[in-house]
Coordinates of all heavy atoms in Angstrom, one line a residue:
R77 N 71.4 124.4 -143.7 CA 70.4 124.9 -144.7 C 71.1 125.3 -146.0 O 71.9 126.2 -146.0 CB 69.7 126.2 -144.1 CG 68.4 126.5 -144.7 CD 67.6 127.5 -143.9 NE 66.8 126.9 -142.9 CZ 66.2 127.5 -141.9 NH1 66.3 128.8 -141.9 NH2 65.5 126.9 -141.0
P78 N 70.9 124.6 -147.1 CA 71.5 124.9 -148.3 C 71.1 126.3 -148.8 O 70.0 126.7 -148.6 CB 71.0 123.8 -149.3 CG 70.5 122.7 -148.4 CD 70.0 123.4 -147.2
G79 N 72.1 126.9 -149.5 CA 71.8 128.1 -150.2 C 72.4 129.4 -149.6 O 72.5 130.4 -150.2
F80 N 72.8 129.3 -148.3 CA 73.4 130.4 -147.6 C 74.9 130.4 -147.6 O 75.6 131.4 -147.4 CB 72.9 130.6 -146.2 CG 71.4 130.6 -146.2 CD1 70.7 129.8 -145.3 CD2 70.7 131.5 -147.0 CE1 69.3 129.9 -145.2 CE2 69.3 131.5 -147.0 CZ 68.6 130.7 -146.1
T81 N 75.5 129.2 -147.9 CA 76.9 129.1 -148.0 C 77.2 128.4 -149.4 O 76.4 127.5 -149.8 CB 77.5 128.1 -146.9 OG1 77.2 128.7 -145.6 CG2 79.0 128.0 -147.0
A82 N 78.2 128.8 -150.1 CA 78.5 128.1 -151.3 C 78.7 126.7 -151.1 O 79.4 126.3 -150.1 CB 79.8 128.8 -152.0
P83 N 78.2 125.8 -151.9 CA 78.3 124.3 -151.7 C 79.7 123.9 -151.7 O 80.1 122.9 -150.9 CB 77.5 123.7 -152.9 CG 77.4 124.8 -153.9 CD 77.4 126.1 -153.1
T84 N 80.6 124.5 -152.5 CA 82.0 124.1 -152.4 C 82.6 124.4 -151.1 O 83.4 123.6 -150.5 CB 82.8 124.8 -153.5 OG1 82.5 126.2 -153.4 CG2 82.4 124.3 -154.9
I85 N 82.3 125.5 -150.5 CA 82.8 125.9 -149.2 C 82.3 125.0 -148.1 O 83.0 124.5 -147.2 CB 82.6 127.4 -148.9 CG1 83.3 128.2 -149.9 CG2 83.0 127.7 -147.5 CD1 83.0 129.7 -149.8
A86 N 80.9 124.8 -148.1 CA 80.3 123.9 -147.1 C 80.9 122.5 -147.1 O 81.1 121.9 -146.1 CB 78.8 123.9 -147.4
A87 N 81.2 122.0 -148.3 CA 81.8 120.7 -148.4 C 83.1 120.6 -147.7 O 83.5 119.7 -147.0 CB 81.9 120.3 -149.9
R88 N 83.9 121.7 -147.9 CA 85.2 121.7 -147.3 C 85.2 121.9 -145.8 O 86.0 121.4 -145.1 CB 86.1 122.7 -148.0 CG 86.4 122.4 -149.5 CD 87.5 123.2 -150.1 NE 87.3 124.6 -150.0 CZ 86.7 125.4 -151.0 NH1 86.1 124.8 -152.0 NH2 86.6 126.7 -150.8
Q89 N 84.2 122.8 -145.4 CA 84.0 123.0 -144.0 C 83.7 121.6 -143.3 O 84.3 121.3 -142.2 CB 82.9 124.0 -143.7 CG 83.2 125.4 -144.1 CD 82.0 126.3 -143.9 OE1 80.9 125.9 -144.1 NE2 82.3 127.6 -143.6
L90 N 82.8 120.9 -143.8 CA 82.3 119.6 -143.2 C 83.4 118.6 -143.3 O 83.6 117.8 -142.3 CB 81.1 119.1 -143.9 CG 79.8 120.0 -143.7 CD1 78.7 119.6 -144.7 CD2 79.3 119.8 -142.2
A91 N 84.1 118.5 -144.4 CA 85.2 117.6 -144.5 C 86.3 117.9 -143.5 O 86.9 117.0 -142.9 CB 85.8 117.6 -145.9
T92 N 86.6 119.2 -143.3 CA 87.7 119.6 -142.4 C 87.3 119.2 -141.0 O 88.1 118.6 -140.2 CB 87.9 121.1 -142.5 OG1 88.3 121.4 -143.8 CG2 89.0 121.5 -141.5
L93 N 86.0 119.5 -140.6 CA 85.5 119.1 -139.3 C 85.5 117.6 -139.1 O 85.7 117.1 -138.0 CB 84.1 119.7 -139.0 CG 83.5 119.5 -137.7 CD1 84.5 120.0 -136.6 CD2 82.2 120.2 -137.6
D94 N 85.2 116.9 -140.1 CA 85.2 115.4 -140.0 C 86.6 114.9 -139.6 O 86.7 113.9 -138.8 CB 84.8 114.8 -141.4 CG 84.4 113.4 -141.3 OD1 83.6 113.1 -140.3 OD2 84.7 112.5 -142.1
H95 N 87.7 115.5 -140.1 CA 89.0 115.2 -139.6 C 89.2 115.5 -138.2 O 89.7 114.7 -137.4 CB 90.0 115.8 -140.5 CG 90.2 115.1 -141.8 ND1 91.1 114.1 -142.1 CD2 89.5 115.2 -143.0 CE1 91.0 113.7 -143.3 NE2 90.1 114.4 -143.9
F96 N 88.9 116.8 -137.8 CA 89.2 117.2 -136.4 C 88.3 116.4 -135.4 O 88.8 116.2 -134.3 CB 88.8 118.7 -136.3 CG 89.9 119.6 -136.7 CD1 89.7 120.6 -137.7 CD2 91.2 119.5 -136.2 CE1 90.7 121.4 -138.2 CE2 92.2 120.4 -136.6 CZ 92.0 121.3 -137.6
S97 N 87.2 115.9 -135.8 CA 86.3 115.1 -134.9 C 86.6 113.7 -135.0 O 85.9 112.9 -134.4 CB 84.8 115.4 -135.2 OG 84.5 114.9 -136.5
K98 N 87.6 113.3 -135.9 CA 87.9 111.9 -136.1 C 86.7 111.1 -136.6 O 86.4 110.0 -136.2 CB 88.4 111.2 -134.8 CG 89.8 111.9 -134.3 CD 90.3 111.2 -133.1 CE 91.7 111.7 -132.8 NZ 91.8 113.2 -132.6
G99 N 86.1 111.6 -137.6 CA 85.0 110.9 -138.3 C 83.7 110.9 -137.6 O 82.9 109.9 -137.8

Side-chain angles (χ1 to χ4, degrees):
R77 200 168 274 172
F80 304 133
T81 304
T84 50
I85 295 172
R88 298 196 299 274
Q89 288 174 329
L90 292 165
T92 301
L93 183 53
D94 200 40
H95 282 268
F96 279 122
S97 67
K98 295 181 172 57

